[in-house]
Every structure is written in structure tokens, then in C-alpha cells.
Amino acid sequence: MIPQTNFIVTRPEETRGLGGGPSSYIPTLGHIASTFDIYRTVGIAEVINAPESWAFTDLDSVAALGRIVDGPITSGEDIARAESAIRSALLYEFSEVAVPCVKADHGNGIIGYLRFDNEFRNKASFEAFSCVPCRDHLLAVEFVNLKDGEIIQSSFSESDLIGTTISDSVKNLNYVTNRTSEVAATLPMQFGAATHYTGPIYSAVTDRSPSGFIDELYRRVYRPWMDVAQAGPHLRLELKLPPLLAIVLHRSNSRSDVPTVLKELREEMAPIRADLVRLNRMIDSCHEQSEIYAQTQRISESFDAVVAESLLTPAELRYRRIISIFNLIKPVRQIYSIAADPLAADSEKFLEAFRSSQEVIKKNSRIVSRSVAASKVSELLRVSSIRDMVTSHFTGDEQELIHKNITNK
């Protein structure tokens, strides 16, 4: 079900001439859209039909996902940006794309939302992200008046939009993105939703926000996958893929298959999403801090072992099955005992801790199997050669961009 939000707005007499009223035109581009009049809203009364898990992403992320499908990518950062969109699509029950905009009186009796993102996403972006129940969330930062396509007045007297035309889409989009950045960070927090922003303006604000439990578990897979699983000698270029994008491209014969693969993966990953919701509920239901710590530690350890589990060879898996009967009577020692938080450890200690976890899971599968989500992710990460995957899916110029982004050259 689509979530609905009841906002507390200013009194009717204060909204006269500021686009108040239910009849404003809402333009849609590829997805359905909802609106939030920032300029006249003072609070949120309630959220109806709130999803079990909910994420916000931004235009930069979903646009990059479209370039993964249609190409070419324009920067090595498109890889991380597309991963962010995929996280929003596969790990949550509902996703929203934050779209900064304004509300406008066109001077001809029509009042509606004025968007500047018409050319920002391609058709493939909408198709790929449609694998998840989603919508564009229009964040109207100002109410403006138009005359012959020019913005002549704004509810914000110091607005940079005054004197511009509606065709100045890039300039105006950058401006409204800046103006909506704080709301883009705080609104999802009030909804109880996660944020996966990669655009420089939004991510500069949300990087300072505390991450949710689902995000924390993802990071426990991400670091060993990037730092360990893909480490090793490289030829001319250093080429890496983040975990979810690697899974998607592994299943795609060509990049045009990505939208179909995402739909299939989303259905296949339903147990993962359900388990992540269950884990969140379990943590929330704990009353004693000691119990919260114990449950969090237990779940975190299962995700710490995901990448090590995915790297086991068929021979190691057969060996583990043979000795599994002996492990039933042995205590499972905790992995990552070197650092209280392996994500914060320096590279040398992190590698040592990872090797310790490898030795543990070679003998016992129970750490990963503590969580349905961790067990399933470890299966999905059994992918083919990342280097072969990148060279077969991306052009030579795109490979150079990926290499430069990884090596910061």
C-alpha cells in the first residue's frame, strides 16, 4: 500500500496566494508523484499505511542506474550511485525519489508544481527503478508566479529563481536542490525511513545523520567485499563493483537485461527484506540495554561472515559438511575478536580479523545461518569474475572511469 502523510499547514488565511488548496496540478514523469509544500508546512500530523521498511533516494542515484542500463556512464561515481538506487529498490518495501521543485501560479488560472528534472533521468532509469513500489516525492521549496515563462515573484523574497525562465532547468534544479537539502535529510527521519542519497548536495547533509540498522548490516558486507574479496593483482586497470550491482550484472547477459533482473531479484529477495524487518523489530522490542547489545552483536557477526562465506570454494564447502557433525558439540567462537567494531579497524587489523572469520566459517556454517538475510546474501554473492564482468559489460572508456574513481587518479 502507498503511504499517505497528513501535514500540519499554516492557517488558511496565511496560505492565500501561496498555492493552498487541493486542486493543484501534479506533473508526473515515469512514476506516480506525491507532494510536500515545504514553504507552508509546519509539521507532520501522522503517516498512514507506513511500510515496514521505507527508503528515500535521490535523482542522482536513479539517473546513474539508468546509465548503467543504457550507457554510457559519465563518471566512475555512477557505479556507487547506481548501487545506492539498487539498495533502495531491493532492501526496502517502498522507495521514494526526493525531487526538489517549486509550486507555481502560471498566471492563467492554473496552479501546479513546476519541475526542473525533466531531462535528468532516461527511460531506462524509470523502467529499472519500477521493480520496487515507488513514487517521486516532490519537495516544493517556494511558491512562485510566472509570466510568459519567466519567474517574476516568489514567496521567498531573496529567491535566486526570480528573473530566471522555466527553461533554465539545470541552474534552477541546482538551486532548489540546495534549498531542500535540510528537509530531504530530516523528512525521512520523521517518517522512519532510511536515506540513500549520492548527489553531492543531499549526501553532504545525510552523511552526518546516524545510519539505520539495515544500513549498518549492509556496511558489514560492503567493506570486506570491496577491500578483501576484490583485492589482488590487477592488470592495466583496477576494476571493482559493489555487492548488489555485482549480483545484478552477474545475472545479466547484457546491460539491457538489468531492469528484468532487478524485478526477478526483488522477488527472490523477499525473504531477506522480511528478515531485515524482523531483525529491526527484535531490536526495537528489547528493553534492557544488555539485551540490545547481545542481539545486535549476534546479528552483526552473522553479517560480518557473509563475504567470507561467499568466498568458500566447493572443496571447502564439502569439507565443512563432512566435519559438521563434530561442530554440533563445539562452541562457536566469536569472529572478529580483534576489534570491537571491525568496520572501524585499520586495514591491517581488518584483514587479520577477516582471515580469522574465514577460518571459523570453514568449520562451522551456523554463524551465517543465524540470519536468513545473511545466509541468502552469501549465496547471491557467489558471482563470476568481477574483472571479466566489468570488461564484458562496460566499454573501454567506461572502464577507465571506473579505474580512476577507485584509484582517485
Side-chain angles (χ1 to χ4, degrees), residues 126-147:
F126 293 111
E127 182 183 4
F129 204 67
S130 292
C131 68
V132 58
C134 65
R135 65 181 175 189
D136 285 352
H137 203 113
L138 307 187
L139 306 176
V141 71
E142 298 173 17
F143 182 80
V144 301
N145 295 88
L146 303 177
K147 183 177 181 180

Side-chain angles (χ1 to χ4, degrees), residues 379-393:
E379 292 178 17
L380 293 174
L381 279 175
R382 297 183 187 279
V383 300
S384 55
S385 163
I386 296 297
R387 183 176 187 83
D388 290 348
M389 205 183 301
V390 174
T391 55
S392 64
H393 282 302

